[in-house]
Structure formats: C-alpha cells, structure tokens
Amino acid sequence: MANFKIRKYRDEDSETVKELFTSGMNEHLPSSFMHVLKEPLTQMLLMCTFCSLMATSQSFLLPVLAVTLLLAGVRQMIVYMFNGYIDASLKNDLSDISETYLRKNNSCFWVAESDGQVVGTVACLPAETAPGFLELKRMSVRRSHRGKGIAKALCRTVADFTRERGFSAVILYTSMVATDAQKLYEHMGYKKMRQFPVPEFFAKIINFTLIEYRLDLEEEK
C-alpha cells in the first residue's frame, strides 16, 4: 500500500506546490508539439515551403533549413502559450493559495504528502460557469509518485468535500493532450460534457482544445 496522506495546504507548501504545477504543465509540451505536427494546416505549410524552395533554389539545404526554422518557431509559440498560462496562474490563484482557497466558503486546497514531501495537489472552488457546482482545479502528482493511487485519492477528496457541502456535481477542465488525466477522470466516473477551443489566437490556429468533465454525485450514489 502506498505510503501517503492527504491534508490541507499549509503556507510552507507554497514553493513546492508552484513547482509541481509548473513541471506538470511543462510535461505537456512534447505532446502539444506532436498535436500541431499532425494538423493538416501545419503539414500543408511545411510541404508548400519545402516544395517551393526546392523548385526555386539550387540547394537542397535551403528548404531543409527553412522547414527546421518553421518547426522551431512553432515549438517556440507552444512554449510561449504554455508559459503565458503558467505565469497567469502563478500571479492569480497560486500567488496566495490560502486567500484563494482556504479563507473562502466552499473552497479548499489539499496536498498529498509522502515521506514528508508534497507529491500531489488538488483544489476546488465554486464554478464560475456552472452555479451550484464545484470546480476541481490544480490536480497534479509528481511523476515519480504516479501509479500509487494518489490521484484517485485526491479526486475522491474533492468529491467528498463537494458532497458534504451540498453541491450536486463537480466539474473540471483539462486539455486535449492530457490523455492520462482524461483516463483518470473517466475511471473516477466523470463524464465528458463538451470540447471547445482555447480562446487565444494561436491556440485556435493549431486547434488546441479543452475538455469539460462532470461528476454527478447524485448519480454516483
């Protein structure tokens, strides 16, 4: 049995929580890049660039370099998009976790602790887009501690808190590239409600979407 416990966040956990969040977000960079490469628009751009330069230049090296630079530019844009979200989160709810989650009604922030170290996080607060529901946020488990039931325990903690507070459902949002998270939520009884594009311009171009999941606690009974 995995040796961990779930407890409420304490102020001394702040830096570890932020580091867990940042590293967890950055794990999605490779899969996001692969998603962009599979997009028809990206493939057409790369092919057109390569073929046009091959037809107009006397060098094979030039089109190869051009395609390489395009790929590097695409990857940099993805990094920029992720960094923007990370920076905004660190400046907003994660800048003062106690104020955001512990001092307001129907909100809480928990950490998973193993051998004295914080190895996982989860939070919830009233959903802005769905009155009467709580929203699960900031789910993250350190890579070295995955597969030990920590994420499931964190999910159950939010569900129990939501039920105790008299709310009928938990909702959450996760990205299309977070496939492991999607499998976890579906295993825990969450149902996929809708998929929609991220509003940022570049995200729309690369067809990067978010997925909304919902756990109906009345049905769960």
Short mmCIF file of all heavy atoms in Angstrom, two decimals, residues 22-70:
data_model
loop_
_atom_site.label_atom_id
_atom_site.label_comp_id
_atom_site.label_asym_id
_atom_site.label_seq_id
_atom_site.Cartn_x
_atom_site.Cartn_y
_atom_site.Cartn_z
N THR A 22 4.09 23.88 -12.22
CA THR A 22 4.87 24.28 -13.40
C THR A 22 5.44 23.06 -14.13
O THR A 22 5.35 22.97 -15.36
CB THR A 22 6.01 25.21 -12.97
OG1 THR A 22 5.46 26.36 -12.32
CG2 THR A 22 6.84 25.65 -14.17
N SER A 23 6.02 22.13 -13.38
CA SER A 23 6.60 20.95 -14.03
C SER A 23 5.52 20.08 -14.66
O SER A 23 5.72 19.52 -15.74
CB SER A 23 7.40 20.13 -13.02
OG SER A 23 6.57 19.67 -11.95
N GLY A 24 4.36 20.01 -14.01
CA GLY A 24 3.26 19.24 -14.58
C GLY A 24 2.76 19.82 -15.89
O GLY A 24 2.47 19.10 -16.85
N MET A 25 2.65 21.15 -15.96
CA MET A 25 2.24 21.80 -17.19
C MET A 25 3.26 21.58 -18.30
O MET A 25 2.91 21.30 -19.46
CB MET A 25 2.03 23.29 -16.95
CG MET A 25 0.80 23.64 -16.14
SD MET A 25 -0.74 23.10 -16.93
CE MET A 25 -0.62 23.96 -18.50
N ASN A 26 4.54 21.71 -17.98
CA ASN A 26 5.59 21.57 -18.99
C ASN A 26 5.69 20.15 -19.55
O ASN A 26 6.23 19.97 -20.65
CB ASN A 26 6.93 22.01 -18.42
CG ASN A 26 7.04 23.52 -18.30
OD1 ASN A 26 6.46 24.26 -19.09
ND2 ASN A 26 7.80 23.99 -17.32
N GLU A 27 5.17 19.18 -18.83
CA GLU A 27 5.18 17.81 -19.34
C GLU A 27 4.35 17.67 -20.62
O GLU A 27 4.55 16.76 -21.41
CB GLU A 27 4.63 16.84 -18.29
CG GLU A 27 5.59 16.54 -17.16
CD GLU A 27 4.98 15.56 -16.17
OE1 GLU A 27 4.03 14.86 -16.54
OE2 GLU A 27 5.46 15.52 -15.03
N HIS A 28 3.40 18.60 -20.81
CA HIS A 28 2.51 18.52 -21.97
C HIS A 28 3.09 19.17 -23.22
O HIS A 28 2.46 19.12 -24.28
CB HIS A 28 1.17 19.17 -21.64
CG HIS A 28 0.43 18.49 -20.52
ND1 HIS A 28 0.20 17.13 -20.50
CD2 HIS A 28 -0.10 18.98 -19.37
CE1 HIS A 28 -0.46 16.81 -19.40
NE2 HIS A 28 -0.65 17.92 -18.70
N LEU A 29 4.26 19.77 -23.12
CA LEU A 29 4.85 20.42 -24.28
C LEU A 29 5.13 19.45 -25.44
O LEU A 29 4.75 19.74 -26.58
CB LEU A 29 6.14 21.16 -23.89
CG LEU A 29 5.94 22.45 -23.09
CD1 LEU A 29 7.29 22.98 -22.60
CD2 LEU A 29 5.24 23.50 -23.92
N PRO A 30 5.77 18.30 -25.21
CA PRO A 30 6.03 17.39 -26.33
C PRO A 30 4.76 16.90 -27.02
O PRO A 30 4.70 16.87 -28.26
CB PRO A 30 6.80 16.23 -25.67
CG PRO A 30 7.42 16.82 -24.45
CD PRO A 30 6.42 17.82 -23.96
N SER A 31 3.75 16.52 -26.25
CA SER A 31 2.52 16.03 -26.85
C SER A 31 1.78 17.15 -27.59
O SER A 31 1.12 16.90 -28.61
CB SER A 31 1.61 15.39 -25.80
OG SER A 31 1.35 16.28 -24.73
N SER A 32 1.89 18.37 -27.10
CA SER A 32 1.27 19.51 -27.78
C SER A 32 1.96 19.76 -29.12
O SER A 32 1.31 20.06 -30.13
CB SER A 32 1.34 20.77 -26.92
OG SER A 32 0.64 20.58 -25.71
N PHE A 33 3.29 19.64 -29.13
CA PHE A 33 4.04 19.82 -30.37
C PHE A 33 3.66 18.74 -31.38
O PHE A 33 3.48 19.02 -32.58
CB PHE A 33 5.54 19.78 -30.07
CG PHE A 33 6.41 20.05 -31.27
CD1 PHE A 33 6.30 21.23 -31.97
CD2 PHE A 33 7.34 19.11 -31.68
CE1 PHE A 33 7.10 21.49 -33.07
CE2 PHE A 33 8.15 19.36 -32.78
CZ PHE A 33 8.04 20.55 -33.47
N MET A 34 3.52 17.50 -30.93
CA MET A 34 3.13 16.42 -31.83
C MET A 34 1.72 16.66 -32.37
O MET A 34 1.43 16.35 -33.53
CB MET A 34 3.19 15.08 -31.09
CG MET A 34 4.60 14.61 -30.79
SD MET A 34 5.64 14.51 -32.27
CE MET A 34 4.73 13.29 -33.24
N HIS A 35 0.84 17.19 -31.53
CA HIS A 35 -0.51 17.51 -31.99
C HIS A 35 -0.47 18.51 -33.14
O HIS A 35 -1.17 18.35 -34.15
CB HIS A 35 -1.34 18.08 -30.84
CG HIS A 35 -2.55 18.82 -31.29
ND1 HIS A 35 -3.67 18.19 -31.80
CD2 HIS A 35 -2.82 20.17 -31.33
CE1 HIS A 35 -4.57 19.10 -32.14
NE2 HIS A 35 -4.09 20.30 -31.86
N VAL A 36 0.37 19.54 -33.00
CA VAL A 36 0.48 20.56 -34.05
C VAL A 36 1.03 19.95 -35.33
O VAL A 36 0.56 20.27 -36.43
CB VAL A 36 1.37 21.72 -33.57
CG1 VAL A 36 1.58 22.73 -34.70
CG2 VAL A 36 0.75 22.42 -32.37
N LEU A 37 2.01 19.07 -35.21
CA LEU A 37 2.60 18.44 -36.40
C LEU A 37 1.58 17.60 -37.17
O LEU A 37 1.69 17.45 -38.39
CB LEU A 37 3.79 17.57 -36.00
CG LEU A 37 5.04 18.30 -35.49
CD1 LEU A 37 6.16 17.30 -35.24
CD2 LEU A 37 5.49 19.36 -36.48
N LYS A 38 0.60 17.07 -36.47
CA LYS A 38 -0.40 16.23 -37.12
C LYS A 38 -1.52 17.02 -37.77
O LYS A 38 -2.33 16.46 -38.51
CB LYS A 38 -0.99 15.24 -36.10
CG LYS A 38 0.01 14.22 -35.59
CD LYS A 38 -0.61 13.35 -34.51
CE LYS A 38 0.40 12.36 -33.95
NZ LYS A 38 -0.19 11.54 -32.85
N GLU A 39 -1.57 18.32 -37.48
CA GLU A 39 -2.63 19.16 -38.05
C GLU A 39 -2.42 19.34 -39.55
O GLU A 39 -1.30 19.61 -39.99
CB GLU A 39 -2.65 20.52 -37.36
CG GLU A 39 -3.26 20.52 -35.98
CD GLU A 39 -4.74 20.19 -36.02
OE1 GLU A 39 -5.51 20.99 -36.59
OE2 GLU A 39 -5.12 19.13 -35.48
N PRO A 40 -3.47 19.19 -40.37
CA PRO A 40 -3.35 19.36 -41.83
C PRO A 40 -2.76 20.71 -42.23
O PRO A 40 -1.97 20.79 -43.18
CB PRO A 40 -4.79 19.22 -42.32
CG PRO A 40 -5.46 18.38 -41.28
CD PRO A 40 -4.83 18.77 -39.98
N LEU A 41 -3.12 21.78 -41.51
CA LEU A 41 -2.60 23.10 -41.84
C LEU A 41 -1.09 23.15 -41.68
O LEU A 41 -0.38 23.73 -42.52
CB LEU A 41 -3.27 24.15 -40.94
CG LEU A 41 -2.84 25.61 -41.19
CD1 LEU A 41 -3.21 26.04 -42.60
CD2 LEU A 41 -3.49 26.54 -40.16
N THR A 42 -0.58 22.55 -40.62
CA THR A 42 0.85 22.52 -40.38
C THR A 42 1.56 21.72 -41.46
O THR A 42 2.59 22.15 -42.01
CB THR A 42 1.17 21.90 -39.00
OG1 THR A 42 0.46 22.60 -38.00
CG2 THR A 42 2.66 21.95 -38.71
N GLN A 43 1.03 20.55 -41.78
CA GLN A 43 1.65 19.71 -42.79
C GLN A 43 1.65 20.38 -44.16
O GLN A 43 2.62 20.29 -44.92
CB GLN A 43 0.92 18.36 -42.84
CG GLN A 43 1.07 17.55 -41.57
CD GLN A 43 0.30 16.24 -41.61
OE1 GLN A 43 -0.35 15.91 -42.61
NE2 GLN A 43 0.37 15.48 -40.52
N MET A 44 0.56 21.08 -44.50
CA MET A 44 0.49 21.78 -45.77
C MET A 44 1.52 22.91 -45.83
O MET A 44 2.19 23.11 -46.85
CB MET A 44 -0.91 22.34 -45.98
CG MET A 44 -1.10 23.04 -47.31
SD MET A 44 -2.79 23.60 -47.58
CE MET A 44 -2.91 24.89 -46.32
N LEU A 45 1.65 23.66 -44.72
CA LEU A 45 2.61 24.76 -44.66
C LEU A 45 4.03 24.24 -44.85
O LEU A 45 4.82 24.81 -45.62
CB LEU A 45 2.48 25.49 -43.33
CG LEU A 45 3.52 26.60 -43.07
CD1 LEU A 45 3.38 27.71 -44.10
CD2 LEU A 45 3.35 27.16 -41.66
N LEU A 46 4.36 23.17 -44.16
CA LEU A 46 5.70 22.61 -44.26
C LEU A 46 5.97 22.08 -45.67
O LEU A 46 7.06 22.30 -46.23
CB LEU A 46 5.89 21.50 -43.23
CG LEU A 46 5.86 21.92 -41.75
CD1 LEU A 46 5.91 20.71 -40.85
CD2 LEU A 46 7.02 22.87 -41.44
N MET A 47 4.99 21.41 -46.24
CA MET A 47 5.17 20.84 -47.58
C MET A 47 5.30 21.93 -48.63
O MET A 47 6.16 21.85 -49.53
CB MET A 47 3.98 19.93 -47.91
CG MET A 47 4.09 19.23 -49.26
SD MET A 47 5.52 18.12 -49.35
CE MET A 47 4.99 16.82 -48.24
N CYS A 48 4.44 22.94 -48.54
CA CYS A 48 4.50 24.03 -49.51
C CYS A 48 5.82 24.78 -49.42
O CYS A 48 6.42 25.15 -50.45
CB CYS A 48 3.34 24.99 -49.30
SG CYS A 48 1.74 24.33 -49.79
N THR A 49 6.29 25.02 -48.20
CA THR A 49 7.56 25.71 -48.02
C THR A 49 8.70 24.90 -48.61
O THR A 49 9.55 25.44 -49.34
CB THR A 49 7.83 25.95 -46.51
OG1 THR A 49 6.78 26.75 -45.97
CG2 THR A 49 9.16 26.63 -46.30
N PHE A 50 8.71 23.62 -48.33
CA PHE A 50 9.78 22.75 -48.83
C PHE A 50 9.77 22.68 -50.35
O PHE A 50 10.81 22.85 -51.01
CB PHE A 50 9.64 21.35 -48.22
CG PHE A 50 10.76 20.42 -48.58
CD1 PHE A 50 11.93 20.42 -47.85
CD2 PHE A 50 10.65 19.56 -49.67
CE1 PHE A 50 12.98 19.56 -48.17
CE2 PHE A 50 11.69 18.70 -50.00
CZ PHE A 50 12.85 18.70 -49.25
N CYS A 51 8.59 22.44 -50.92
CA CYS A 51 8.50 22.26 -52.37
C CYS A 51 8.80 23.55 -53.13
O CYS A 51 9.48 23.53 -54.16
CB CYS A 51 7.11 21.76 -52.75
SG CYS A 51 6.77 20.07 -52.20
N SER A 52 8.30 24.68 -52.62
CA SER A 52 8.54 25.95 -53.32
C SER A 52 10.02 26.32 -53.30
O SER A 52 10.56 26.80 -54.32
CB SER A 52 7.72 27.07 -52.68
OG SER A 52 8.07 27.26 -51.33
N LEU A 53 10.69 26.08 -52.19
CA LEU A 53 12.12 26.40 -52.12
C LEU A 53 12.95 25.41 -52.93
O LEU A 53 13.97 25.80 -53.52
CB LEU A 53 12.59 26.40 -50.66
CG LEU A 53 12.11 27.59 -49.82
CD1 LEU A 53 12.54 27.44 -48.37
CD2 LEU A 53 12.63 28.90 -50.40
N MET A 54 12.50 24.18 -53.00
CA MET A 54 13.19 23.21 -53.85
C MET A 54 13.09 23.60 -55.32
O MET A 54 14.02 23.43 -56.11
CB MET A 54 12.60 21.81 -53.64
CG MET A 54 13.13 21.06 -52.44
SD MET A 54 14.88 20.58 -52.62
CE MET A 54 14.74 19.33 -53.90
N ALA A 55 11.92 24.13 -55.69
CA ALA A 55 11.69 24.49 -57.09
C ALA A 55 12.42 25.76 -57.50
O ALA A 55 12.76 25.93 -58.68
CB ALA A 55 10.20 24.64 -57.34
N THR A 56 12.62 26.66 -56.55
CA THR A 56 13.21 27.97 -56.89
C THR A 56 14.68 28.11 -56.53
O THR A 56 15.32 29.08 -56.95
CB THR A 56 12.43 29.09 -56.18
OG1 THR A 56 12.46 28.87 -54.77
CG2 THR A 56 10.98 29.12 -56.66
N SER A 57 15.19 27.18 -55.76
CA SER A 57 16.61 27.29 -55.37
C SER A 57 17.40 26.13 -55.95
O SER A 57 16.86 25.12 -56.39
CB SER A 57 16.75 27.30 -53.85
OG SER A 57 16.43 26.02 -53.31
N GLN A 58 18.69 26.29 -55.96
CA GLN A 58 19.58 25.26 -56.45
C GLN A 58 20.15 24.41 -55.32
O GLN A 58 21.02 23.59 -55.54
CB GLN A 58 20.75 25.92 -57.21
CG GLN A 58 20.31 26.78 -58.38
CD GLN A 58 19.60 25.98 -59.44
OE1 GLN A 58 20.02 24.87 -59.79
NE2 GLN A 58 18.51 26.53 -59.97
N SER A 59 19.64 24.64 -54.13
CA SER A 59 20.19 23.97 -52.95
C SER A 59 19.13 23.13 -52.25
O SER A 59 17.98 23.56 -52.11
CB SER A 59 20.75 25.02 -51.98
OG SER A 59 21.12 24.42 -50.75
N PHE A 60 19.53 21.94 -51.83
CA PHE A 60 18.65 21.10 -51.02
C PHE A 60 18.69 21.55 -49.56
O PHE A 60 17.73 21.36 -48.82
CB PHE A 60 19.10 19.64 -51.13
CG PHE A 60 18.27 18.69 -50.32
CD1 PHE A 60 17.00 18.32 -50.74
CD2 PHE A 60 18.74 18.17 -49.12
CE1 PHE A 60 16.22 17.45 -50.00
CE2 PHE A 60 17.97 17.31 -48.37
CZ PHE A 60 16.70 16.94 -48.81
N LEU A 61 19.79 22.19 -49.20
CA LEU A 61 19.96 22.61 -47.81
C LEU A 61 19.00 23.72 -47.42
O LEU A 61 18.49 23.75 -46.30
CB LEU A 61 21.40 23.06 -47.59
CG LEU A 61 21.80 23.47 -46.16
CD1 LEU A 61 21.61 22.30 -45.20
CD2 LEU A 61 23.23 23.97 -46.13
N LEU A 62 18.73 24.63 -48.34
CA LEU A 62 17.88 25.78 -48.03
C LEU A 62 16.47 25.37 -47.59
O LEU A 62 16.00 25.82 -46.54
CB LEU A 62 17.81 26.73 -49.23
CG LEU A 62 16.95 27.98 -49.03
CD1 LEU A 62 17.47 28.83 -47.88
CD2 LEU A 62 16.90 28.80 -50.33
N PRO A 63 15.76 24.52 -48.35
CA PRO A 63 14.41 24.12 -47.88
C PRO A 63 14.45 23.34 -46.58
O PRO A 63 13.53 23.46 -45.76
CB PRO A 63 13.87 23.26 -49.03
CG PRO A 63 15.04 22.88 -49.85
CD PRO A 63 16.03 23.99 -49.70
N VAL A 64 15.49 22.54 -46.37
CA VAL A 64 15.61 21.81 -45.11
C VAL A 64 15.77 22.78 -43.95
O VAL A 64 15.12 22.63 -42.90
CB VAL A 64 16.80 20.83 -45.17
CG1 VAL A 64 17.07 20.23 -43.77
CG2 VAL A 64 16.53 19.71 -46.16
N LEU A 65 16.61 23.79 -44.13
CA LEU A 65 16.81 24.78 -43.08
C LEU A 65 15.52 25.57 -42.82
O LEU A 65 15.18 25.88 -41.68
CB LEU A 65 17.94 25.73 -43.46
CG LEU A 65 19.36 25.18 -43.38
CD1 LEU A 65 20.36 26.20 -43.92
CD2 LEU A 65 19.71 24.82 -41.94
N ALA A 66 14.81 25.90 -43.90
CA ALA A 66 13.58 26.67 -43.76
C ALA A 66 12.53 25.88 -42.96
O ALA A 66 11.87 26.42 -42.08
CB ALA A 66 13.03 27.04 -45.13
N VAL A 67 12.38 24.60 -43.28
CA VAL A 67 11.43 23.76 -42.56
C VAL A 67 11.84 23.61 -41.10
O VAL A 67 10.99 23.66 -40.19
CB VAL A 67 11.31 22.37 -43.24
CG1 VAL A 67 10.54 21.40 -42.34
CG2 VAL A 67 10.63 22.50 -44.59
N THR A 68 13.15 23.47 -40.87
CA THR A 68 13.65 23.36 -39.50
C THR A 68 13.34 24.62 -38.70
O THR A 68 12.91 24.55 -37.54
CB THR A 68 15.17 23.11 -39.50
OG1 THR A 68 15.46 21.91 -40.23
CG2 THR A 68 15.70 22.97 -38.07
N LEU A 69 13.53 25.78 -39.33
CA LEU A 69 13.22 27.04 -38.66
C LEU A 69 11.73 27.18 -38.38
O LEU A 69 11.33 27.69 -37.32
CB LEU A 69 13.72 28.21 -39.50
CG LEU A 69 15.24 28.42 -39.54
CD1 LEU A 69 15.60 29.51 -40.54
CD2 LEU A 69 15.76 28.77 -38.15
N LEU A 70 10.90 26.74 -39.32
CA LEU A 70 9.46 26.79 -39.10
C LEU A 70 9.06 25.93 -37.91
O LEU A 70 8.25 26.34 -37.07
CB LEU A 70 8.72 26.32 -40.36
CG LEU A 70 8.55 27.36 -41.47
CD1 LEU A 70 7.93 26.70 -42.69
CD2 LEU A 70 7.67 28.51 -40.99
#
